[in-house]
């Protein structure tokens, strides 16, 4: 089992062993002179996260196909959990009784939890959105539930998230300006209620209780730049009024719009978000997109693609994509990526990886997921290094065309 790095090994603990609450602290340490890219440090109750950072998705308190020791060895600094899924199974009370999500899943580093808004959004035939919140039926057994801004915060409180998200309504694509504005304004009202709920919980709970470290607002507004601006400004105003928003996410992207539009919308929102708070684009993206978002001033990203694509035999390398099921790899003795230092590329051939995948062996899917996640995390490490050294623009222009095509 890998040892924790010094940056991620200093949780603050009480005599009872529970992690102390505490809002995050964020500082920018390097600023690129040619783009908006920046490098920083995000202090959480479970250690420091170096940004820009990619966050592996662990929806059900597990990153599929990988152990926590694997994640530590890969250098994952922060992972995601999902409020919707953990609320349904095993339930936030079970997790709270077992010491919070960190202890439940034996993960000592930081955790960000999504509010569940996107998952409810995806259940279009099983939900009803009202001012009070969202009424939905479980995808597991059809049971009826209601998720309000207050309830989403309460669940994340019991999970003990380092970073929690406000409940938002993800605007459907395509949406008219009228529909998108109505949805965006609902998200803003829910953000205010989420913040008030967190304040109330902090006042009522004992100081050593498992609880939320920080709360992020979410910028919505569909594909309408003016709505993205309005939403960002309104959330920043909430923060200026002392209403407790510790960071800002940009949500509702990559839901059907073209990639250039996605970049434009992220850029539109990011320019109105404060310099001294972390910025998070939710649910992105492909490897070539990572430095593009960093160039817009984004600090945090997440996506299921590394592990989902790995399980399906779709691998990312420094020379492009590899579809490992292809017959051309049957006798290929080369490593998956000759430039990659991960244990998969150091040990196994393309022929063996293809054999595992074609045979339906679990090991193949696990190795593929490991490599893909290494590639993502190593890409972010190199991005941080080039921002610090003043060479990010060169990395940006070189990296994207190399990784987009099919590998030889």
């Amino acid at each position: 089992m890998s040892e924790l790095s010094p940056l991620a090994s200093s949780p603050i603990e009480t005599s009872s062993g529970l992690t102390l609450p505490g809002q995050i602290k964020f500082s920018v340490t390097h600023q690129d002179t040619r783009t908006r890219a920046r490098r920083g440090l995000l202090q959480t109750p479970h250690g420091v996260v170096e940004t820009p950072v990619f966050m592996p998705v662990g929806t059900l308190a597990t990153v599929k196909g990988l152990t926590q020791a694997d994640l530590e060895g890969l250098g994952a600094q922060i992972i995601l959990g999902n409020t919707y899924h953990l609320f349904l199974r095993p339930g936030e009370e079970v997790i709270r009784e077992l010491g919070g999500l960190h202890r439940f899943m034996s993960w000592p580093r930081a955790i960000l939890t999504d509010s569940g808004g996107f998952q409810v959004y995806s259940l279009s035939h099983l939900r009803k959105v009202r001012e009070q919140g969202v009424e939905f039926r479980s995808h597991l057994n059809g049971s009826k539930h209601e998720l309000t801004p207050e309830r989403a915060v309460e669940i994340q409180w019991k999970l003990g998230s380092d970073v929690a998200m406000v409940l938002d309504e993800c605007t459907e694509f395509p949406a008219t300006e009228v529909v998108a504005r109505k949805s965006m304004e609902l998200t803003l009202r829910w953000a205010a209620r989420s913040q008030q709920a967190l304040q109330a919980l902090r006042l009522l709970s004992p100081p050593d209780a498992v609880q939320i470290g920080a709360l992020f607002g979410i910028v919505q507004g569909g594909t309408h730049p003016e709505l993205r601006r309005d939403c960002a400004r309104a959330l920043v105003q909430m923060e200026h009024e002392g209403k407790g928003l510790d960071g800002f996410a940009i949500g509702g992207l990559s839901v059907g719009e073209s990639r250039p539009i996605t970049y434009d919308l992220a850029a539109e929102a990011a320019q109105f978000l404060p310099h001294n708070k972390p910025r998070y684009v939710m649910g992105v993206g492909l490897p070539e997109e990572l430095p593009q978002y960093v160039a817009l001033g984004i600090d945090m990203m997440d996506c299921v693609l590394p592990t989902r694509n790995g399980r399906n035999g779709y691998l990312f390398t420094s020379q492009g994509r590899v579809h490992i099921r292809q017959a051309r790899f049957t006798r290929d003795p080369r490593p998956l990526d000759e430039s990659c230092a991960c244990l998969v590329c150091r040990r196994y051939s393309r022929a063996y990886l293809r054999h595992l995948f074609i045979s339906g062996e679990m090991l193949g899917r696990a190795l593929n997921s490991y490599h893909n996640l290494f590639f993502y995390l190593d890409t972010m490490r190199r991005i941080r290094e080039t921002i610090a050294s003043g060479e990010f623009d060169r990395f940006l222009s070189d990296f994207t065309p190399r990784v987009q095509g099919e590998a030889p």
Side-chain angles (χ1 to χ4, degrees):
M1 182 172 177
S2 304
E3 292 185 3
L4 295 175
S5 69
L7 280 175
S9 60
S10 54
I12 305 166
E13 295 202 348
T14 68
S15 58
S16 65
L18 298 177
T19 302
L20 282 170
Q23 292 185 347
I24 62 170
K25 295 180 181 178
F26 178 71
S27 59
V28 175
T29 59
H30 300 83
Q31 179 71 60
D32 184 57
T33 58
R34 297 177 180 85
T35 69
R36 295 178 185 171
R38 67 226 196 123
R39 181 173 179 174
L41 296 173
L42 178 66
Q43 174 71 58
T44 78
H46 288 84
V48 177
V49 175
E50 297 178 278
T51 64
V53 65
F54 179 83
M55 302 178 287
V57 176
T59 301
L60 281 163
T62 175
V63 177
K64 286 184 172 60
L66 299 171
T67 68
Q68 279 73 334
D70 289 335
L71 294 169
E72 290 167 3
L74 284 165
Q77 305 173 72
I78 177 171
I79 63 175
L80 265 68
N82 184 266
T83 296
Y84 168 84
H85 288 283
L86 294 172
F87 155 70
L88 291 177
R89 184 173 53 189
E92 76 278 9
E93 287 295 345
V94 170
I95 294 174
R96 182 191 65 79
E97 290 169 9
L98 293 169
L101 188 54
H102 292 84
R103 179 165 294 180
F104 177 67
M105 66 181 295
S106 189
W107 176 250
R109 303 181 184 179
I111 296 175
L112 181 150
T113 49
D114 189 354
S115 68
F118 181 80
Q119 283 67 35
V120 171
Y121 154 82
S122 67
L123 301 171
S124 57
H125 61 295
L126 296 173
R127 62 170 167 84
K128 294 179 181 178
V129 179
R130 301 187 176 94
E131 183 68 34
Q132 178 62 18
V134 185
E135 184 182 283
F136 67 95
R137 291 192 177 275
S138 166
H139 70 287
L140 298 174
N141 57 17
S143 57
K144 188 175 179 180
H145 304 276
E146 184 179 47
L147 188 64
T148 66
E150 295 80 7
R151 185 76 178 100
V153 168
E154 179 189 15
I155 295 167
Q156 292 176 90
W157 178 273
K158 291 177 179 178
L159 296 177
S161 315
D162 293 280
V163 178
M165 307 303 299
V166 302
L167 183 65
D168 63 322
E169 184 184 22
C170 184
T171 307
E172 294 185 359
F173 175 84
T176 66
E177 193 273 344
V178 172
V179 171
R181 179 174 292 279
K182 181 179 178 182
S183 176
M184 179 268 286
E185 290 174 346
L186 179 63
T187 288
L188 287 173
R189 293 193 295 274
W190 282 0
R193 287 168 54 189
S194 297
Q195 185 277 331
Q196 292 165 4
L198 179 57
Q199 281 190 336
L201 285 168
R202 282 178 171 157
L203 287 173
L204 294 173
S205 295
D208 64 347
V210 174
Q211 55 181 274
I212 290 170
L215 183 68
F216 280 23
I218 302 177
V219 177
Q220 290 287 355
T223 55
H224 304 275
E226 69 280 5
L227 296 185
R228 294 284 176 172
R229 290 194 296 268
D230 291 348
C231 192
R233 286 169 171 155
L235 288 171
V236 172
Q237 184 59 37
M238 285 179 57
E239 192 265 338
H240 288 330
E241 293 170 357
K243 293 184 178 179
L245 292 177
D246 304 292
F248 301 89
I250 304 171
L253 299 179
S254 294
V255 292
E257 78 281 3
S258 68
R259 191 60 63 237
I261 291 176
T262 304
Y263 291 147
D264 289 345
L265 294 171
E268 194 66 45
Q271 67 177 317
F272 292 98
L273 299 177
H275 179 78
N276 64 340
K277 294 292 177 75
R279 305 164 186 158
Y280 163 32
V281 172
M282 307 176 75
V284 297
L286 289 164
E288 63 268 22
E289 296 171 12
L290 304 182
Q292 299 293 334
Y293 286 111
V294 171
L296 301 178
I298 300 303
D299 307 299
M300 305 166 70
M301 287 167 271
D302 77 281
C303 194
V304 298
L305 284 181
T307 50
R308 176 181 291 172
N309 282 17
R311 294 194 304 276
N312 290 297
Y314 188 81
L315 303 169
F316 302 109
T317 79
S318 62
Q319 300 303 314
R321 305 335 191 217
V322 169
H323 300 264
I324 201 62
R325 72 182 66 192
Q326 292 178 349
R328 67 190 180 103
F329 299 123
T330 301
R331 292 178 174 85
D332 193 335
R334 294 176 296 165
L336 182 60
D337 185 349
E338 292 175 340
S339 300
C340 180
C342 83
L343 65 81
V344 177
C345 292
R346 293 201 312 267
R347 185 159 190 164
Y348 303 107
S349 69
R350 294 181 177 189
Y352 182 63
L353 293 175
R354 179 183 186 274
H355 160 70
L356 293 176
F357 187 79
I358 294 298
S359 302
E361 287 290 335
M362 290 187 293
L363 177 61
R365 287 162 172 76
L367 293 178
N368 293 345
S369 298
Y370 186 99
H371 165 80
N372 274 357
L373 198 49
F374 179 96
F375 186 73
Y376 269 66
L377 295 174
D378 189 59
T379 297
M380 297 307 292
R381 178 189 60 79
R382 293 165 62 201
I383 286 173
R384 292 192 295 269
E385 289 177 351
T386 56
I387 292 173
S389 65
E391 298 177 341
F392 173 72
D393 61 326
R394 184 181 302 175
F395 177 88
L396 181 65
S397 61
D398 175 64
F399 179 80
T400 298
R402 275 197 299 108
V403 302
Q404 281 183 307
E406 186 168 329

